[in-house]
Amino acid sequence: MKQLFDNDQLKEAIAINNLQDYLDTDLLSIATLCTFEKDEDLIQAGTPSKYLYFLVEGTAMVYSYTYDTQNICINYCYEATIIGEASSLWATTPSSSVKAMTPCTCVCVNLKQYRTILQNDLRFLKHTCQLLSYRLNSGINLASSLSEPVETRLARFILEHAKDELFSFQLNNCAAILNVSYRHLLRTMTNFKEQEILQKVRGGYLILNRKELRALTI
């Protein structure tokens, strides 16, 4: 974790991502801007978070370990996502870890200094309750999706993340999020190409048959 002491850059990150909408307290007055390298932990399971994070650039993964020390992706985070909201309020010990899947930039709030302020910020509490409800449902959906074939999960993921019919998500990150081996993911992508559902192009994969891809998700 590296702190960036640039108030103008911090102000811009808050404005572009509409982060002030999440709380009544003036975020600029209590926050700092921080960066994380790829694979660096933002939060470690078993250790209360020292910061509340607003992810403003990059992708992060929420994960836990199984009995055989395999990583299980619970959720993934993109721009403007709040990370560490449970620890921010109650200083609880997290059961899951969060790591940067790509280089990440976060607007950070030091909890030792500002936890009480957050606990009394009604707008922040409202958004936190909504977020926790969403993540509870996400956990239920994860348990259900893990029983689905990889083809189904991958087809759904491609449709969700393709832009202008181009899927350019990094495949190693895609494999981690879908809880499947990289080799298995590549085999599945090859099958999609052979079925003329996808075409490999510069910068990613072009969707040739959206109807067939969507049929795999049903």
Side-chain angles (χ1 to χ4, degrees):
M1 176 178 174
K2 178 181 178 182
Q3 284 191 315
L4 303 178
F5 299 98
D6 187 327
N7 201 58
D8 290 337
Q9 191 174 351
L10 172 62
K11 185 176 181 179
E12 182 180 12
I14 292 173
I16 289 176
N17 293 279
N18 299 311
L19 300 185
Q20 188 58 60
D21 292 346
Y22 288 98
L23 65 174
D24 292 318
T25 306
D26 178 30
L27 184 56
L28 182 63
S29 68
I30 64 173
T32 56
L33 200 62
C34 301
T35 60
F36 294 85
E37 297 179 359
K38 180 181 177 181
D39 294 327
E40 185 176 358
D41 280 327
L42 284 72
I43 294 176
Q44 291 182 322
T47 304
S49 176
K50 295 181 180 179
Y51 294 91
L52 170 74
Y53 301 105
F54 293 89
L55 179 64
V56 295
E57 186 176 335
T59 305
M61 179 173 70
V62 184
Y63 69 98
S64 62
Y65 290 104
T66 62
Y67 68 94
D68 56 356
T69 70
Q70 293 288 324
N71 283 359
I72 293 293
C73 173
I74 298 172
N75 206 341
Y76 50 97
C77 311
Y78 296 112
E79 286 81 356
T81 301
I82 301 176
I83 301 172
E85 69 288 339
S87 296
S88 69
L89 289 178
W90 317 120
T92 56
T93 300
S95 57
S96 303
S97 300
V98 182
K99 74 173 179 179
M101 300 182 71
T102 66
C104 290
T105 302
C106 295
V107 172
C108 308
V109 178
N110 186 304
L111 298 175
K112 184 177 181 180
Q113 291 179 271
Y114 302 112
R115 178 178 283 111
T116 300
I117 289 177
L118 294 176
Q119 288 175 337
N120 289 283
D121 190 307
L122 294 181
R123 184 183 294 185
F124 177 72
L125 291 176
K126 176 183 176 181
H127 281 287
T128 298
C129 288
Q130 292 175 332
L131 182 58
L132 291 175
S133 176
Y134 166 77
R135 289 183 175 165
L136 176 61
N137 289 329
S138 295
I140 295 172
N141 293 335
L142 170 67
S144 175
S145 68
L146 288 178
S147 64
E148 295 178 328
V150 173
E151 289 81 3
T152 299
R153 286 183 275 154
L154 178 57
R156 186 180 297 118
F157 192 86
I158 291 172
L159 289 170
E160 180 181 352
H161 294 279
K163 296 180 179 180
D164 298 325
E165 301 301 294
L166 180 67
F167 178 70
S168 57
F169 207 95
Q170 291 187 6
L171 294 187
N172 57 336
N173 289 342
C174 179
I177 290 170
L178 295 179
N179 294 304
V180 63
S181 71
Y182 183 67
R183 181 177 296 180
H184 194 168
L185 182 75
L186 286 181
R187 286 201 302 267
T188 307
M189 294 295 286
T190 298
N191 290 340
F192 285 179
K193 288 189 295 180
E194 292 175 348
Q195 296 170 36
E196 298 185 346
I197 296 174
L198 300 178
Q199 178 184 345
K200 184 71 174 74
V201 296
R202 185 176 182 179
Y205 292 84
L206 185 66
I207 297 177
L208 298 179
N209 193 334
R210 174 173 282 268
K211 181 179 179 181
E212 186 65 27
L213 195 62
R214 189 173 298 279
L216 290 170
T217 69
I218 300 174

